[in-house]
Amino acid sequence: KAVLTLYKLYLKYPHGLKLTYERLRQRLDDKDDSVVSCTVSVICELSRKNPKNFLPLAPQLFKVLTTSENNWMLIKIVKLM
């Protein structure tokens, strides 16, 4: 839920993304699939405005793409690529 809350924060305070980018990146490696799924959703929505910010996440997203069994998350990752 915290990751989804950050999305609303980023919309109102875009500079917050710079401050918390590394923490968002770490959530892609979380053991809990729901946390990873929320993180992918937030990245997917934010990348619509500025995809360059999320280009460095490509290797981690590819890892999630090849290891996850969550179909909805896989669809979102394919949309990003």
Side-chain angles (χ1 to χ4, degrees):
K1 291 182 181 180
V3 175
L4 290 176
T5 304
L6 284 175
Y7 173 67
K8 294 283 190 177
L9 175 77
Y10 297 149
L11 292 179
K12 292 187 184 236
Y13 182 65
H15 184 67
L17 180 60
K18 290 180 182 180
L19 299 173
T20 59
Y21 184 80
E22 191 57 37
R23 298 288 288 209
L24 189 65
R25 175 182 226 153
Q26 291 171 358
R27 298 292 71 93
L28 286 173
D29 293 328
D30 202 280
K31 293 178 184 178
D32 187 359
D33 263 357
S34 63
V35 173
V36 177
S37 181
C38 288
T39 305
V40 168
S41 295
V42 168
I43 291 170
C44 188
E45 291 301 317
L46 291 173
S47 68
R48 289 181 183 185
K49 294 185 183 239
N50 192 357
K52 287 182 182 179
N53 288 342
F54 303 98
L55 195 55
L57 299 178
Q60 282 181 289
L61 290 169
F62 182 76
K63 179 183 172 193
V64 172
L65 182 67
T66 58
T67 59
S68 178
E69 296 179 7
N70 182 334
N71 291 333
W72 292 111
M73 185 169 45
L74 296 176
I75 290 169
K76 289 185 182 221
I77 293 173
V78 169
K79 283 176 143 178
L80 280 171
M81 306 231 168

